[in-house]
Amino acid sequence: VITDLMDKLTHVFGQGLSNSFYPVPQQAIGVGSAFEGWSPHAEDVVYHVLVPLHPPPGRAFHLEPNTAGMPQRNFCVRVELLCTCTREQLGENMLCFLHHPEEELRRKQDPSLLHNLCTGSYLDVEKTVHWFYRFVRVAWLLLPQSCHWHLMLQPSSRCCKFQLSKDKESCMVEMIFGVQQGDSDIFVGSQPTDVHVIPSTTWLETYAVAEAKFFRHISRQAPQDSWYCKFLQLLTCILMGVGFSSYTLKTVVMHLLNTIPLTQWRRRDFLQRLVDILKYLRCSLETKRLNHFIIGNERFPMEISLPSDFRAAEPLNLFQHLASNPDAHTKAMHEYICLQTR
């Protein structure tokens, strides 16, 4: 249902925006636990989708690293004006923003992307999300689903969040927008963050598409009775009330899926794999180091496209905060004991 809805929604987006000066949405990509097959709570599942944005005609997106004051790798998306005089000469109804007087542009052509969705020369997350919120409200009325489902938009400054309901059924969708890094499966996205104050021109690097492709890569190779998704479901349910994030456990399981043969993830291996997961987590806590699964991982499947420097990069330590904060490390060790006891 969600995939079909997003296909139709982005189709309407594309039709309405193809000749405009707004970013052009591409086909939505399902990411996160719901699309990877291990949602811990079916009744509370949130369907995360990433909608890639392409620049409109006469524009180009350039990613500029911006690491000031943020624990994540993040970027600003600079919008560059391109010369479109050639297109004008070919008879296309488009004036060149670079080579026509501003007064003529203002009189004959819609405002530039720079005027509406940018702060300075940079694509603004909050302005972009707010604009798409308004577009979703209009586009929804053109979809066949609107006859059977009720759409309720939820407030959010960095993503487009809405609830769909029909009779006793309901589901939550969180749509984030992303700009692709080259032709890779790594994006910078508008996803919410734990950091309370974040500039609206900051786009966070997201690995969600590459991770979803990794799970599809594993599912194609694993025996039909593999239980690796059930391990994640069980452990994330047990995590309720314990301080480890589901992403921490997902990272541990992905590392083990990349090293333990897939024939050893069956039901009969259940206890041994649980032991392996907990041992890996404990070792990571003791050394205060849990390497990011993608950055610096030379064993990452080659069929999934990464930026050229990713595999040889210095691995990102997800437990860096434990190395710099003894109290946080002590608390994490105590939480591990609680997890192990459960």
Side-chain angles (χ1 to χ4, degrees):
V1 170
I2 299 300
T3 302
D4 182 54
L5 168 66
M6 293 309 304
D7 284 346
K8 287 183 169 61
L9 196 58
T10 50
H11 178 69
V12 173
F13 281 167
Q15 285 187 319
L17 301 175
S18 58
N19 294 317
S20 75
F21 297 114
Y22 289 99
V24 183
Q26 307 301 299
Q27 184 174 18
I29 305 169
V31 297
S33 61
F35 290 96
E36 292 166 352
W38 57 274
S39 295
H41 304 289
E43 67 278 7
D44 297 324
V45 65
V46 177
Y47 293 90
H48 294 91
V49 293
L50 184 144
V51 178
L53 299 179
H54 283 190
R59 313 290 181 281
F61 290 156
H62 296 283
L63 302 185
E64 297 181 356
N66 175 22
T67 57
M70 291 284 292
Q72 301 103 318
R73 289 163 53 114
N74 55 87
F75 294 77
C76 291
V77 179
R78 181 169 58 83
V79 178
E80 179 189 7
L81 292 176
L82 303 177
C83 176
T84 56
C85 291
T86 304
R87 298 182 62 160
E88 185 182 348
Q89 291 164 7
L90 292 173
E92 294 190 30
N93 186 25
M94 181 178 185
L95 301 179
C96 178
F97 278 100
L98 282 180
H99 298 119
H100 278 272
E102 191 169 334
E103 183 180 336
E104 183 183 5
L105 289 168
R106 198 164 41 239
R107 191 173 66 252
K108 295 183 178 179
Q109 199 154 267
D110 291 336
S112 164
L113 165 66
L114 287 166
H115 290 98
N116 291 330
L117 301 185
C118 291
T119 296
S121 300
Y122 295 97
L123 191 62
D124 189 293
V125 171
E126 295 183 10
K127 290 179 182 179
T128 302
V129 167
H130 179 69
W131 188 86
F132 271 103
Y133 258 125
R134 289 187 293 165
F135 201 97
V136 167
R137 195 185 300 275
V138 174
W140 171 250
L141 300 176
L142 303 176
L143 301 185
Q145 284 91 337
S146 64
C147 298
H148 309 288
W149 290 83
H150 174 67
L151 175 79
M152 181 179 294
L153 295 172
Q154 307 287 325
S156 177
S157 61
R158 290 190 63 87
C159 66
C160 220
K161 189 183 295 186
F162 53 89
Q163 184 180 36
L164 291 172
S165 57
K166 180 179 69 172
D167 300 327
K168 294 183 179 180
E169 292 181 80
S170 71
C171 55
M172 187 72 72
V173 180
E174 193 169 288
M175 183 166 57
I176 68 170
F177 303 98
V179 176
Q180 190 175 17
Q181 294 194 35
D183 59 356
S184 75
D185 292 312
I186 305 299
F187 290 76
V188 299
S190 66
Q191 67 270 29
T193 173
D194 294 334
V195 178
H196 295 299
V197 180
I198 177 173
S200 61
T201 52
T202 297
W203 296 71
L204 306 178
E205 192 167 67
T206 173
Y207 320 97
V209 173
E211 289 169 355
K213 285 193 172 185
F214 173 76
F215 275 89
R216 290 201 291 274
H217 166 82
I218 292 295
S219 70
R220 286 195 297 269
Q221 300 186 23
Q224 286 191 344
D225 58 346
S226 291
W227 274 40
Y228 59 92
C229 284
K230 289 184 173 63
F231 292 111
L232 272 170
Q233 285 177 326
L234 173 65
L235 286 170
T236 48
C237 286
I238 294 174
L239 270 176
M240 293 296 291
V242 179
F244 298 111
S245 69
S246 59
Y247 191 75
T248 294
L249 283 180
K250 175 183 171 181
T251 300
V252 169
V253 170
M254 288 191 295
H255 277 298
L256 291 174
L257 281 170
N258 221 24
T259 52
I260 297 174
L262 294 174
T263 53
Q264 296 179 24
W265 288 84
R266 292 172 168 160
R267 178 175 180 175
R268 65 173 182 242
D269 307 304
F270 192 74
L271 277 179
Q272 184 56 54
R273 294 293 81 80
L274 278 181
V275 170
D276 291 340
I277 291 167
L278 290 172
K279 284 174 68 174
Y280 195 106
L281 179 58
R282 182 179 183 91
C283 181
S284 299
L285 287 169
E286 289 175 344
T287 59
K288 305 174 186 176
R289 182 165 197 91
L290 176 61
N291 285 343
H292 193 278
F293 180 61
I294 297 179
I295 300 174
N297 184 358
E298 295 181 351
R299 293 173 57 96
F300 193 75
M302 296 299 295
E303 69 178 60
I304 302 173
S305 178
L306 300 181
S308 58
D309 60 336
F310 257 51
R311 286 183 172 86
E314 178 69 24
L316 188 67
N317 181 14
L318 299 183
F319 281 175
Q320 183 60 45
H321 64 290
L322 302 183
S324 58
N325 187 335
D327 291 339
H329 181 247
T330 301
K331 181 182 178 185
M333 291 301 298
H334 175 71
E335 288 168 344
Y336 171 82
I337 294 170
C338 293
L339 176 62
Q340 190 178 39
T341 303
R342 289 186 181 186

